[in-house]
Amino acid sequence: MDIKITTYLTLCNLVDIDQKDHKLKDLATLFLKVMNDWSTYNQTNIQDFIKELKSYFGFPLTIEKIDKKKFDRQNAWQVEAGSSITELIDLSTRFCNQPDFDKIIDSVLGFYNEEFKKVDFIAELQYLTTEQGGRKTPVKSGYRPQVKFDFTEMQTSGQQIFIDKEIVYPGEKVDAKIKILSPDYFADSLIEGMNFEFREGAKLIGTGEIKYLVNDKLEKASK
């Protein structure tokens, strides 16, 4: 399955849960600032936004082309975005030896696409004890039980990547990154704080609560 980041919010969420300090994270943060400064167009699709940048500043997108766009009292937010692009290209040139804007963004998205393959949302999981009818043996990070939400009879495989643990025993509680097999089915259906069950076939082995939605396509729109 080809999993790719397409929107501002999903990339922003992935950067937000990235706890390590590294240059690709710094570059991603600058790129998100550029998108945020371009808010007049309310553009959330990353590739469409890049087309707008190139349409305004010119192609290929370089520091020289950005510098030629002078402030004319009408384009303050474009100038602000251009300043962040200049900073992004300069940072990448100095630390990654890469001045090409397209290749910089490809590297950023490539890195976070790999992270996106592991997580749709972060949840707190509570495993049942063996006495409660849960498992008799522990599970390793990467375990794939079925996930069941109250609003549908549909179940889907939900991989659990444990946070700060490799093994969880019956009765234990753990935070985990959850990647579901059928995200399209659950589009516009989930909210933070929502509870779910995870099972092995018909056997209930634990419950979970969504703590943080990463994949913005899953998020139920507020009324």
Side-chain angles (χ1 to χ4, degrees):
M1 182 167 56
D2 190 21
I3 300 171
K4 289 187 177 181
I5 301 162
T6 60
T7 65
Y8 168 92
L9 188 55
T10 292
L11 178 59
C12 185
N13 290 339
L14 286 163
V15 172
D16 192 42
I17 66 172
D18 184 358
Q19 297 182 344
K20 296 180 180 179
D21 291 326
H22 54 95
K23 291 306 174 188
L24 283 174
K25 181 180 179 180
D26 294 340
L27 294 171
T29 300
L30 281 168
F31 180 66
L32 289 167
K33 184 178 186 303
V34 176
M35 288 195 74
N36 191 56
D37 288 338
W38 211 264
S39 58
T40 300
Y41 284 126
N42 196 29
Q43 182 58 265
T44 62
N45 181 280
I46 291 171
Q47 295 305 322
D48 289 346
F49 169 70
I50 290 173
K51 290 178 183 177
E52 287 185 7
L53 280 180
K54 292 176 179 177
S55 176
Y56 182 79
F57 289 110
F59 177 83
L61 197 55
T62 63
I63 291 175
E64 291 72 27
K65 283 187 171 66
I66 293 168
D67 287 343
K68 288 180 180 178
K69 288 288 184 179
K70 303 300 182 183
F71 177 56
D72 62 8
R73 299 183 182 277
Q74 303 295 321
N75 64 345
W77 47 274
Q78 291 105 323
V79 170
E80 184 67 26
S83 175
S84 294
I85 299 170
T86 296
E87 187 178 352
L88 182 152
I89 295 173
D90 178 64
L91 181 68
S92 178
T93 301
R94 287 187 292 115
F95 291 98
C96 306
N97 197 30
Q98 180 54 265
D100 186 297
F101 175 81
D102 288 328
K103 291 180 179 178
I104 296 168
I105 301 305
D106 283 347
S107 294
V108 167
L109 293 179
F111 175 82
Y112 284 103
N113 276 327
E114 289 301 309
E115 295 303 303
F116 193 31
K117 291 177 181 178
K118 305 172 188 174
V119 57
D120 283 310
F121 57 87
I122 292 175
E124 181 181 74
L125 306 177
Q126 176 64 65
Y127 275 79
L128 298 181
T129 64
T130 302
E131 292 73 21
Q132 291 171 323
R135 288 177 56 90
K136 296 180 180 179
T137 57
V139 295
K140 292 182 179 181
S141 183
Y143 170 59
R144 294 175 181 268
Q146 296 296 111
V147 172
K148 169 72 171 62
F149 294 97
D150 288 342
F151 61 83
T152 179
E153 290 304 310
M154 168 75 171
Q155 297 186 69
T156 184
S157 172
Q159 184 181 41
Q160 302 177 354
I161 305 294
F162 303 142
I163 298 173
D164 298 328
K165 278 190 176 184
E166 281 300 316
I167 296 177
V168 172
Y169 291 84
E172 286 192 333
K173 184 179 289 186
V174 65
D175 287 342
K177 298 176 182 179
I178 311 296
K179 190 68 185 182
I180 57 178
L181 184 62
S182 307
D184 291 344
Y185 182 86
F186 294 97
D188 307 314
S189 299
L190 308 184
I191 59 172
E192 292 175 0
M194 181 176 283
N195 296 316
F196 60 92
E197 298 175 342
F198 51 98
R199 305 173 173 180
E200 291 178 349
K203 180 184 177 70
L204 176 67
I205 56 172
T207 59
E209 179 184 348
I210 297 175
K211 307 298 287 186
Y212 189 90
L213 278 166
V214 175
N215 185 348
D216 76 310
K217 292 182 179 180
L218 298 175
E219 187 169 7
K220 185 176 182 179
S222 58
K223 294 183 179 179

